[in-house]
Amino acid sequence: MRLLLFIFLLVPALATAQQYPAYTSTYVNDFADLIDAETEARITEMLQAVERERGVEMTVVTINSRLEYGDFASIEDFATGLFNHWGVGNATRNDGIMVLVARQDRDMRIELGAGYPPVFDDRVKNVIDHYFIPWFRQDDYAHGIEAGVAETIRRTALEFTDQGYTTASRLKSE
């Protein structure tokens, strides 16, 4: 009887379990198929350059809906969980960046590692409002993601490392 009760309680829990997609690339994971091959190549080049030149790991993820992966209350919950699940960025420095676009949810988030000071939250909100969203409103996700990624790099990774958080100085403190 206990086994039957256990199974009865376990099955619904498993049906609503939260899962995350497995990444296929360190740089661009276009699960929603929003980015054409040429644009994806340019975005990948930008992300490789910021990693090579500044030591900051950044990834782009597109999905159709966060609900395909479980019962997530918000884009923030999904982004934080996915960011941590994939281990974006250097765990010691907490300097990773993830751009997440959920097309059917009509939502997106730029998730920053905990190493970024709070002032960067306002910067990424500005980037979303002025570089991603205008293109998305025109249903041109590829150009929006490319423009937004370039500006995210400029306003986060480059400014973060230019403000004394360079790879060399961070490595000395580790």
Side-chain angles (χ1 to χ4, degrees):
M1 183 66 165
R2 287 185 191 179
L3 179 61
L4 186 58
L5 179 62
F6 176 74
I7 291 172
F8 180 73
L9 294 174
L10 181 64
V11 170
L14 289 176
T16 61
Q18 297 173 338
Q19 301 176 33
Y20 298 103
Y23 65 89
T24 57
S25 165
T26 305
Y27 303 106
V28 179
N29 292 273
D30 185 20
F31 301 117
D33 198 27
L34 300 177
I35 309 169
D36 59 88
E38 295 81 20
T39 304
E40 183 173 332
R42 289 190 302 271
I43 293 170
T44 299
E45 287 176 21
M46 285 190 276
L47 300 178
Q48 289 171 333
V50 75
E51 183 177 28
R52 181 178 59 251
E53 296 166 10
R54 301 298 179 113
V56 175
E57 184 181 308
M58 184 172 171
T59 190
V60 173
V61 183
T62 71
I63 59 173
N64 288 312
S65 174
R66 68 182 183 276
L67 298 177
E68 293 176 355
Y69 302 99
D71 186 21
F72 290 93
S74 68
I75 192 79
E76 292 84 5
D77 292 341
F78 183 81
T80 300
L82 182 62
F83 185 94
N84 292 330
H85 182 74
W86 283 5
V88 178
N90 180 289
T92 304
R93 296 186 310 257
N94 288 314
D95 61 355
I97 303 169
M98 179 174 47
V99 173
L100 173 65
V101 177
R103 184 178 187 179
Q104 290 174 359
D105 297 342
R106 298 180 54 86
D107 211 351
M108 73 161 296
R109 178 161 176 88
I110 299 174
E111 188 72 20
L112 300 175
Y116 288 88
V119 68
F120 283 88
D121 294 338
D122 290 335
R123 292 179 187 176
V124 297
K125 182 184 180 329
N126 188 298
V127 170
I128 290 170
D129 291 344
H130 297 284
Y131 293 87
F132 286 93
I133 300 301
W135 288 101
F136 291 1
R137 286 188 177 134
Q138 297 174 38
D139 203 32
D140 192 347
Y141 286 86
H143 281 106
I145 293 169
E146 184 176 16
V149 164
E151 194 64 15
T152 302
I153 289 170
R154 190 176 79 73
R155 292 194 185 199
T156 57
L158 299 185
E159 289 186 22
F160 180 74
T161 56
D162 286 346
Q163 291 177 8
Y165 295 97
T166 63
T167 303
S169 66
R170 287 185 298 208
L171 290 175
K172 286 179 189 175
S173 66
E174 290 177 3

